[in-house]
Amino acid sequence: MSAAATRRLTTAQALVRFLAAQYTERDGVRRRLIAGTWGIFGHGNVAGLGQALVEYGDVMPYHQGRNEQAMVHAAVGHARHLNRLSAQAVTTSIGPGATNLVTGAALATINRLPVLLLPGDYFASHAADPLLQQLEHPIEADVSVNDTLRPVSRYFDRVTRPEALVASVLQAMRVLTDPAETGAVTLALPQDVQAEAYDWPEEFFADRVWRVRRPAPDPEELVEAVRAIRAAGRPLIVAGGGVHHSEAEGALKALVDATGIPVASTQAGKGALRHDHPADLGAVGHTGTAVGDDVARTADLVIGVGTRYTDFTTASGTLFQHPDVRFLNLNITAFDAHKLAARTLVCDARAGLTALADALSGHRVAALYETEYRAGRARWEETVEAALGADDDSAVPTQTQVLGALDAVVGDEDVVINAAGSLPGDLHKLWRARSPRQYHVEYGYSCMGYEIPAALGVQQAAPGTPVWALVGDGTYLMNPTEIVTAVQENLPVKLVLVQNHGYASIGGLSESVGAERFGTAYRHRAADGAFTGAPLPVDLAANAASLGVEVLRAKTVGELREALRTARASDRPTCVYVETDPAPTAPAAEAWWDVPVAEVSAREAATGARAAYERAVADRRRHL
C-alpha cells in the first residue's frame, strides 16, 4: 500500500477519528452514531484517549462527568430518547474508574440500549507490571478488572495491538446498531497501545453508514398469527419497549383503531398509545391498572409486542389466568419471541404490526368486549383523578399529589424520568402519557441514581425540551454528582426531589414479607445508641444548592404547583424540593409479585406473611 493511502496516528487518535465518521440510517433518516464522548481521566486514558479527544475536539464532542456509572446512565438516556439510533461513548481510567462502569453496563444491556465503553487497561507489553491499580491474577496474566464487564456486555474485546482495532471496532459498531443484539459494548484499551502509532488505511476513516434493519415477518408465521387473532374472543396487546425502539406507535394505533383490540403497557412500553385513546388500558402487571389487569386475567390471546415479559409484567406468572390462554409474541429478538411457549412473529415491531393490520382487514373484536373494557377505563380514570387531585392547596402534598401537580404543568413534549423506589409503581399506574417519548422510566434494572444523569443525556438528545428527573431522597443520596455537570454544561434539566425520609418502596415491601421495615428508614441514633425514630437532620435542598443548582422549596400543594411552573420556564438547571405526607395514597397493587418469604420463623410478622405467600403462589402457572 502506498504512503499516500495511509495516515500515521496513535491508536487512540485513530479510534476517535473512526468514531466521528460513523452514522446510522433508518427510513432514510441519517444520524451520527457516536454523538459524543463522556470521560473522566486518570492514568490509563489521559495520555491516550484524553490526548486524542483534545486533538480532534472539532469532530468529537467531549462531556466531563463526575461519576463513571453516571456517565453510562447519561449515555443510555441519550440512546433511549433517540430510539437507539444514536449512542455515546464513555472513557475511564483503569482500576476503580473502569469497575464503576459495571452497573451502568448492566442497565444498558438489560434494557437493550447501546453504549460504547472505553476503559483503560494494563500495559499490553507488561513493561510496567504490576502497575498502579492493576489486579494481579496468579494463574491468568491476561485478566484485568475490565473482565468484570464481560458478562454485562453484548460485545467485549481487549485491543492488545494497534492493528487489532480495525476488526474490533467494526464488530463494536455492528452490535451497537443491531436492533436485536444491542447493549453495552466494551473495548478495553491498554494504555501503552492507546499511545502507540500505526499507519492506518485511509478508508478506515471514511464515512460509514450502518443501516438499522426492519426485518419483515415470515409469511408462514404471519398466517398463523392472523389465524390466532381471528379465533380469539378476548385478545389483548401487551406493548413493550420495542414499540418505541421501532417507532411503531403509529402502526400500533392503526391496528388498534381497525380491530378494537385493547392495549396494556409495560413500564418500557407506556405511551405506546396516548393515554386518552379509547383502547388504552394503561399499565399491566404488578403495578398495573385495575382495568389492564382485569382484562389480562380473562384474555384468551395475549399479543406481546416488543416485551421481555419480566416478572412485574406477568405478576410472577400469576396474571394470565384464562384456562385456554395462548400467547403470540411479535419481537425482533427470537429469544423474547419464544417466551411463554408463544406463537412467534420474529420481526421489526412496525413491520409486523403493519403486516398484521393489512392481513386482518375487516376483522374487529366483539362490540360487547369493547363496551366492557371502555367501561373499565372510565372507572379507572375516576381512581386516577382521586389519587392525583388535591382539595386543599395549603396541605402538605402526598406523593401522588406531586404527580398530579406535575401532570397539570407539563406539555405533550415534556419528558419525565424515573427509575427506582415507590415512584415507578405510582407512575406506571397513574401517569397520563401524552406522547411516545414522554414516559421514561428505567425499570429493567431499576437502578437508583439513574434519573439525574439520564436527564442530562435526554436533554442533550432533545435541546429545548423540558426534561424532568423525579428523584426520591434515597436515590438522590446515591448519585447527585451530575448536578454539577448540568450546571457546567448549562443543561436546563428540572429536578423534582421528593423527601419522605427513607426507602418508602422497600419499606412497604419489607413489611409485607415479614421483615418489619428493618433497615429502611432514616432514623436518628441517640447518645445511648437507641434509634429515636426522629428524621435525620439533613437538608437535601441545601446540598443540591451547594452543587450549583437553583432550588425552589415547596411546602404545600399550592407552592408546589407554582414551583413546578417556575422550574419549567427556567433556562437553567432547577430543583424543586418537596417533603411529602408519607401516608400512602396510590391505588393498591392489582396483581402479585413473588418475593419469597421465610418458610419458618419465630416472629409473628413473618409467619403471617408466609401464609399469605403460599396462598398467592398457588396461582402461578407454567404456560406451555
Side-chain angles (χ1 to χ4, degrees), residues 3 33 55 77 161 178 218 281 297 354 424 441 513 524 586-587 599:
L33 173 53
E55 185 119 351
R161 294 179 60 85
D178 188 320
D218 175 82
L281 308 185
R297 288 187 186 94
T354 300
V441 173
V513 298
H524 182 70
E599 191 168 1

Side-chain angles (χ1 to χ4, degrees), residues 15 37-40 42-46 49 68 71-72 89-102 105 115-122 144-150 153 155-159 184-194:
L15 175 59
T37 298
W38 290 89
I40 296 176
H43 90 98
N45 70 338
V46 64
L49 275 170
E68 292 87 356
M71 293 193 297
V72 186
V90 178
T91 179
T92 72
S93 63
I94 71 168
T99 52
N100 281 350
L101 296 172
V102 173
V115 60
L116 177 61
L117 307 180
L118 304 172
D121 214 321
Y122 58 61
S144 82
V145 296
N146 286 330
D147 288 278
T148 60
L149 287 159
R150 288 182 184 269
S153 297
Y155 179 79
F156 178 98
D157 194 15
R158 180 175 286 112
V159 183
V185 168
T186 300
L187 299 182
L189 301 171
Q191 57 180 303
D192 53 345
V193 177
Q194 288 182 52

Side-chain angles (χ1 to χ4, degrees), residues 431-445:
W431 188 259
R432 296 183 278 215
R434 297 157 167 81
S435 61
R437 306 314 303 163
Q438 180 171 88
Y439 187 86
H440 185 130
V441 173
E442 189 286 300
Y443 217 59
Y445 207 41

Side-chain angles (χ1 to χ4, degrees), residues 31 43 146 296 595 604:
R31 290 185 180 273
H43 90 98
N146 286 330
V595 178
E604 182 179 350

Side-chain angles (χ1 to χ4, degrees), residues 147-304:
D147 288 278
T148 60
L149 287 159
R150 288 182 184 269
V152 293
S153 297
R154 295 298 291 174
Y155 179 79
F156 178 98
D157 194 15
R158 180 175 286 112
V159 183
T160 57
R161 294 179 60 85
E163 61 267 36
L165 178 69
V166 175
S168 183
V169 78
L170 287 170
Q171 288 295 326
M173 299 302 104
R174 174 189 65 80
V175 174
L176 288 173
T177 57
D178 188 320
E181 298 296 330
T182 195
V185 168
T186 300
L187 299 182
L189 301 171
Q191 57 180 303
D192 53 345
V193 177
Q194 288 182 52
E196 188 175 342
Y198 182 73
D199 293 324
W200 302 89
E202 278 291 346
E203 57 261 40
F204 184 57
F205 306 112
D207 286 359
R208 188 181 301 265
V209 178
W210 300 83
R211 288 185 171 80
V212 180
R213 66 182 71 89
R214 287 193 182 278
D218 175 82
E220 292 186 9
E221 285 193 336
L222 180 62
V223 168
E224 289 296 319
V226 170
R227 183 179 294 123
I229 295 172
R230 287 186 180 277
R234 299 179 64 83
L236 170 68
I237 293 172
V238 173
V243 176
H244 294 308
H245 298 329
S246 176
E247 299 176 301
E249 299 90 357
L252 176 64
K253 182 178 182 298
L255 174 65
V256 170
D257 287 346
T259 63
I261 301 173
V263 176
S265 300
T266 69
Q267 284 278 15
K270 192 173 174 74
L273 280 184
R274 187 180 160 95
H275 74 94
D276 52 4
H277 190 284
D280 180 57
L281 308 185
V284 68
H286 176 62
T287 52
T289 66
V291 60
D293 284 351
D294 283 347
V295 172
R297 288 187 186 94
T298 59
D300 58 357
L301 180 68
V302 178
I303 307 166

Side-chain angles (χ1 to χ4, degrees), residues 18 65 69 120 147 179 286 426 496 596:
F18 172 86
Q69 176 182 318
D147 288 278
H286 176 62
D426 292 356
V496 181

Side-chain angles (χ1 to χ4, degrees), residues 540-555:
L540 298 184
N543 177 265
S546 75
L547 299 178
V549 70
E550 180 181 4
V551 175
L552 307 172
R553 294 177 184 257
K555 295 181 179 180

